[in-house]
Amino acid sequence: MKTLIAAYSGVLRGERQAEADRSQRSHGGPALSREGSGRWGTGSSILSALQDLFSITWLNRSKVEKQLQVISVLQWVLSFLVLDGKPQVLEKIGNLPGHTDLNPCLQDPQSLCLSHSATLPTNRHFPAGVACSAILMYIFCTDCWLIAVLYFTWLVFDWNTPKKGGRRSQWVRNWAVWRYFRDYFPIQLVKTHNLLTTRNYIFGYHPHGIMGLGAFCNFSTEATEVSKKFPGIRPYLATLAGNFRMPVLREYLMSGGICPVSRDTIDYLLSKNGSGNAIIIVVGGAAESLSSMPGKNAVTLRNRKGFVKLALRHGADLVPIYSFGENEVYKQVIFEEGSWGRWVQKKFQKYIGFAPCIFHGRGLFSSDTWGLVPYSKPITTVVGEPITIPKLEHPTQQDIDLYHTMYMEALVKLFDKHKTKFGLLETEVLEVN
């Protein structure tokens, strides 16, 4: 405002100078030079004011970009939390222990850790699905009712599309908002080996962290250029099948290359969708997220063997992935075993189906305050060397244990090889639980 007032004052001074020049000209004074001087004073004042205006702090380009980065991350975090719904038992999925949803506050059913089958919670986006359904029902009552009729008619014929890998959109995956999302931390994808397009893959993503930010940014968007780094490979981030029963929401999820973590979907992608498919599974799941904290590198893997059996049945190569910095972006209150907090979490998990976690990041306007915005710590996702897996229709427990051991060793080796490059000490050890 002060800048604009200064500009206006400059204009008034110029006008007064011009009026004085005209007065002197009527008395025979050197009016031409003074008139020119008056005009020059007016123009220079306006120009100076405009320069001051565009140098104002809140219009500084770097600060505007930083705010856009914060907003892009916050909108994702809020949608992640607000759209979260009460988990329910969906179905039994053989050979897939490990909750693969990105929601950190859902606790794994006990069977996930002990057997080769998993009961998966669903309806993470339940409120969003209800909202979308309510909007469509409202449209039914307006002059645009035909749009809703056509969509529901089309939905009937398109119902099984998510089970066949969905319908990804390169336009959505390349949205500018994801680049701002990437640059906030920043997030980086590191390739260590080429992947053959003649093979299919199961990517094991570690660690889960609080929200799995690296998994989403690297494999559900093109912000880190995953398609350029691994040409011919189609990544599918697996999440809960119940999400794809919600109208409109399912289209958004599919556009990012997200697929249901169901037996039918995984079987289809690994056996009936050609080659070059890569399914990303967050193996540690929610149990791993509850121990997520800055400075801690630990994975829940020792008893998670179902994804190995799944790879053996389809002959899909296993690729270990470690995301350095995933645990650094949020601070969490960790309840030790035997404490009242852990007791409450276990009771919630047993009777309600999820375990609450208490975490915080920075504030929206300041990193010195608490809030939901994650801390801007670098996240570097390193994709390791693929482990060649033979195709065995009926793998034995010995086969499963063999390749599971190979996978754990490959993950530890990947961690040890790259840890010093990304800020960890040589003495740092990956804890495998």
Side-chain angles (χ1 to χ4, degrees), residues 246-295:
M246 305 299 177
V248 183
L249 175 64
R250 66 195 291 275
E251 320 302 335
Y252 176 66
L253 295 176
M254 287 193 292
S255 66
I258 300 176
C259 71
V261 60
S262 65
R263 176 74 174 271
D264 292 341
T265 303
I266 294 176
D267 285 344
Y268 180 88
L269 291 175
L270 295 180
S271 62
K272 300 178 182 178
N273 197 43
S275 59
N277 302 293
I279 301 176
I280 297 89
I281 298 176
V282 186
V283 180
E288 191 173 86
S289 73
L290 288 177
S291 61
S292 171
M293 60 182 296

Side-chain angles (χ1 to χ4, degrees), residues 37 51 57 71 86 102 136 208 221 237 240 297 355 362 367 378 384 395:
S37 174
Q51 289 175 342
T57 302
I71 292 171
K86 179 181 176 180
L102 294 180
L136 287 173
H208 187 292
T221 78
L237 183 60
L240 303 180
N297 291 282
R362 50 157 287 182
S367 58

Side-chain angles (χ1 to χ4, degrees), residues 324-345:
F324 294 90
E326 186 72 62
N327 288 341
E328 307 297 320
V329 297
Y330 279 109
K331 295 179 181 179
Q332 181 181 189
V333 177
I334 303 295
F335 298 104
E336 299 297 333
E337 289 294 335
S339 66
W340 68 270
R342 182 65 72 176
W343 179 84
V344 170
Q345 288 179 327

Side-chain angles (χ1 to χ4, degrees), residues 129-172:
V130 171
C132 293
S133 300
I135 292 173
L136 287 173
M137 292 304 296
Y138 171 76
I139 294 176
F140 264 123
C141 303
T142 68
D143 293 337
C144 300
W145 61 269
L146 184 59
I147 296 176
V149 171
L150 291 175
Y151 176 77
F152 276 114
T153 302
W154 174 78
L155 188 61
V156 171
F157 292 97
D158 192 62
W159 189 252
N160 291 323
T161 297
K163 296 180 181 180
K164 298 180 179 179
R167 185 171 42 249
R168 71 179 57 214
S169 167
Q170 288 301 113
W171 176 65
V172 174

Side-chain angles (χ1 to χ4, degrees), residues 283-404:
V283 180
E288 191 173 86
S289 73
L290 288 177
S291 61
S292 171
M293 60 182 296
K296 184 175 183 178
N297 291 282
V299 297
T300 302
L301 177 61
R302 197 170 297 279
N303 293 320
R304 303 291 176 98
K305 300 181 180 181
F307 72 103
V308 177
K309 184 177 180 180
L310 188 63
L312 284 166
R313 288 182 58 248
H314 291 283
D317 294 348
L318 291 172
V319 180
I321 298 176
Y322 196 85
S323 199
F324 294 90
E326 186 72 62
N327 288 341
E328 307 297 320
V329 297
Y330 279 109
K331 295 179 181 179
Q332 181 181 189
V333 177
I334 303 295
F335 298 104
E336 299 297 333
E337 289 294 335
S339 66
W340 68 270
R342 182 65 72 176
W343 179 84
V344 170
Q345 288 179 327
K346 288 184 176 180
K347 290 300 181 181
F348 264 78
Q349 177 251 318
K350 181 178 180 180
Y351 294 107
I352 301 179
F354 74 96
C357 56
I358 303 174
F359 65 93
H360 72 85
R362 50 157 287 182
L364 177 60
F365 300 106
S366 173
S367 58
D368 297 326
T369 59
W370 287 10
L372 292 176
V373 180
Y375 294 104
S376 55
K377 303 290 185 179
I379 298 176
T380 305
T381 304
V382 183
V383 181
E385 182 178 4
I387 303 170
T388 303
I389 304 295
K391 184 175 182 179
L392 302 175
E393 288 292 336
H394 303 286
T396 64
Q397 188 62 46
Q398 185 178 1
D399 296 326
I400 296 171
D401 291 341
L402 172 64
Y403 286 100
H404 181 259

